[in-house]
Amino acid sequence: MEVPVIDFSQLDGEKRSKTMALLHDACEKFGFFKIENHGVDKKLMEKVKHFVDSHYERNLKETFYDSEVAKRLENGHTRDIDWESSFFISHRPKSNINEFPNLSEDLRKAMDDYIDQLIMLAEKLSELMCENLGLDKDHIKKVFSGEKGPSVGTKVARYPQCPHPDRVRGLREHTDAGGIILLLQDDQVPGLEFLKEGNWIQIPPSKNNAIFVNTGDQVEVLSNGRYKSALHRVMAKKNGSRLSIATFYNPATDAIISPAPKLLYPNHFSFGDYLKLYATTKFLDKEPRFESLKKRTNSPCGLLV
């Protein structure tokens, strides 16, 4: 099964409708997809990967293989561990990037510039999702914002070569708690897998700095289940060390999340009232009928509107 590919360069031309339909289908049926021609500076993306690689080799690789995780792998106690070396950088509403003493100035600068562009991409993507769902284009951004704006952070991870990949996962099965996840991943080493219809789909390495996207739990809630938060995992590999730079465009911690009212079915009506409305609209589309019932249940007098 192929991963859906959304070409952002086609959003401004005659293929916009087809591209929007592909995006909607990917969000609704997969919960993950790949974006090409996304507008993020590819030279900047290469810089970020290079500086992250250098940071891992200088500061993290040796300590990882001496860590408790590595010892437990050898002893076979792997039920509750992940074979990964990672750290998390917060960007918005407040950055903590200067709190990491070993990060080079080159990595800090490249990461900050990259995140500025990635936030723009995440917000563009949120607008396209809203358009496909029939919502105001800034609905997701507003809901996610809370008092100080959406929460944005990056998990920087390496999944090192593993001597016993049959004993451990790189990262155990999970869905993502937040909103929109944008992944800059390895262009050589595979390992990421998503569950689709009971089968694990292998996500190939990203060529030409395409960005891999998946939607988190809050998008599923906000869309009233229309868009899916897919289960995924990372497999440990004996050959190759996999790079993963995952940026999370999440709700603020004080954001109040609920399904968009426009996407809810009507509720708290009697079947008798429904039949009265149905008698005059039987041969018309059902959506206006549902909308009329929603207005009725929201009316203080409980009258059909």
Side-chain angles (χ1 to χ4, degrees):
M1 186 179 297
E2 292 188 3
V3 176
V5 178
I6 313 301
D7 185 348
F8 265 36
S9 70
Q10 297 185 348
L11 285 170
D12 297 324
E14 58 184 18
K15 295 184 178 180
R16 176 181 170 80
S17 295
K18 181 180 178 181
T19 304
M20 290 294 287
L22 287 171
L23 174 62
H24 184 60
D25 189 71
C27 293
E28 198 169 44
K29 296 179 181 177
F30 289 79
F32 57 90
F33 50 92
K34 185 168 64 174
I35 299 178
E36 294 182 344
N37 298 312
H38 40 67
V40 179
D41 187 331
K42 291 188 176 183
K43 290 183 179 179
L44 178 59
M45 296 170 79
E46 285 295 329
K47 281 185 180 180
V48 170
K49 290 194 293 185
H50 170 72
F51 293 138
V52 166
D53 280 339
S54 298
H55 176 74
Y56 172 75
E57 292 292 332
R58 287 199 315 267
N59 300 292
L60 302 175
K61 183 176 181 178
E62 184 176 346
T63 56
F64 176 79
Y65 284 109
D66 288 334
S67 69
E68 186 64 25
V69 169
K71 293 174 184 176
R72 289 179 63 183
L73 177 68
E74 291 300 325
N75 294 330
H77 303 301
T78 60
R79 183 181 296 249
D80 60 347
I81 65 172
D82 301 304
W83 189 258
E84 70 168 3
S85 172
S86 65
F87 59 96
F88 192 88
I89 303 172
S90 295
H91 308 292
R92 307 285 191 279
K94 183 179 179 181
S95 174
N96 70 348
I97 197 167
N98 291 323
E99 296 175 15
F100 294 89
N102 294 326
L103 295 186
S104 69
E105 284 303 314
D106 287 336
L107 176 53
R108 296 178 206 271
K109 178 65 167 63
M111 182 64 76
D112 282 344
D113 291 346
Y114 172 66
I115 291 303
D116 286 343
Q117 295 190 28
L118 214 61
I119 290 174
M120 293 174 62
L121 176 60
E123 292 181 345
K124 174 65 174 178
L125 190 53
S126 75
E127 291 176 359
L128 297 175
M129 289 179 178
C130 286
E131 182 179 338
N132 272 333
L133 290 167
L135 304 174
D136 293 340
K137 73 174 186 176
D138 58 353
H139 181 84
I140 291 176
K141 182 179 178 180
K142 283 183 176 179
V143 170
F144 278 18
S145 287
E147 288 293 323
K148 298 181 179 180
S151 176
V152 181
T154 298
K155 178 184 176 182
V156 179
R158 264 285 182 185
Y159 297 94
Q161 287 181 282
C162 182
H164 305 290
D166 55 319
R167 298 182 186 176
V168 69
R169 295 274 189 268
L171 185 61
R172 286 163 288 167
E173 292 81 356
H174 66 288
T175 61
D176 288 325
I180 299 171
I181 299 86
L182 303 104
L183 174 64
L184 172 58
Q185 67 164 346
D186 207 290
D187 60 1
Q188 298 292 328
V189 182
L192 181 61
E193 296 184 351
F194 273 74
L195 191 66
K196 175 79 166 68
E197 298 174 353
N199 297 310
W200 286 103
I201 308 302
Q202 296 182 9
I203 308 302
S206 292
K207 302 297 184 182
N208 299 316
N209 283 323
I211 291 178
F212 184 85
V213 177
N214 68 283
T215 46
D217 295 345
Q218 305 315 307
V219 170
E220 181 163 338
V221 172
L222 187 147
S223 68
N224 198 34
R226 292 283 298 279
Y227 287 175
K228 303 305 180 187
S229 174
L231 196 68
H232 55 286
R233 65 188 184 186
V234 177
M235 304 301 288
K237 296 292 182 181
K238 194 165 188 174
N239 299 311
S241 175
R242 178 177 173 269
L243 173 67
S244 170
I245 304 170
T247 299
F248 297 80
Y249 181 80
N250 284 348
T253 54
D254 63 339
I256 304 301
I257 308 298
S258 61
K262 193 170 184 179
L263 302 179
L264 289 171
Y265 281 108
N267 55 67
H268 298 293
F269 59 87
S270 73
F271 184 52
D273 285 341
Y274 186 84
L275 287 175
K276 290 178 184 177
L277 184 60
Y278 181 79
T280 60
T281 61
K282 178 176 180 178
F283 299 107
L284 302 176
D285 291 338
K286 64 178 179 291
E287 282 75 16
R289 188 156 63 238
F290 289 163
E291 286 300 313
S292 181
L293 282 168
K294 280 199 280 188
K295 290 178 182 178
R296 177 201 178 220
T297 57
N298 291 332
S299 169
C301 299
L303 300 174
L304 285 172
V305 184

